[in-house]
Coordinates of all heavy atoms in Angstrom, one line a residue:
Chain B
R78 N -86.9 23.6 -79.6 CA -87.1 23.8 -81.0 C -86.7 22.5 -81.8 O -85.9 21.8 -81.3 CB -86.3 25.0 -81.6 CG -86.8 26.3 -81.0 CD -85.9 27.4 -81.4 NE -86.0 27.6 -82.9 CZ -86.8 28.5 -83.4 NH1 -87.6 29.3 -82.6 NH2 -86.8 28.7 -84.7
N207 N -118.7 10.3 -72.9 CA -119.3 9.0 -72.6 C -118.7 7.9 -73.4 O -118.5 6.8 -72.9 CB -120.8 9.1 -72.9 CG -121.5 10.0 -71.9 OD1 -121.2 9.9 -70.7 ND2 -122.4 10.8 -72.3
A258 N -124.3 13.6 -68.5 CA -125.4 14.2 -69.2 C -125.4 15.8 -68.9 O -125.2 16.2 -67.8 CB -126.7 13.7 -68.7
D294 N -138.8 22.6 -90.4 CA -139.3 22.8 -91.7 C -140.1 24.1 -91.9 O -140.5 24.5 -93.0 CB -140.2 21.6 -92.2 CG -141.2 21.2 -91.1 OD1 -141.6 22.1 -90.3 OD2 -141.5 20.0 -91.0
S299 N -137.4 33.5 -97.8 CA -136.5 34.6 -98.0 C -136.9 35.4 -99.2 O -137.5 34.9 -100.1 CB -135.1 34.1 -98.1 OG -135.0 33.1 -99.1

Side-chain angles (χ1 to χ4, degrees):
Chain B
R78 292 171 71 91
N207 290 319
D294 42 33
S299 50

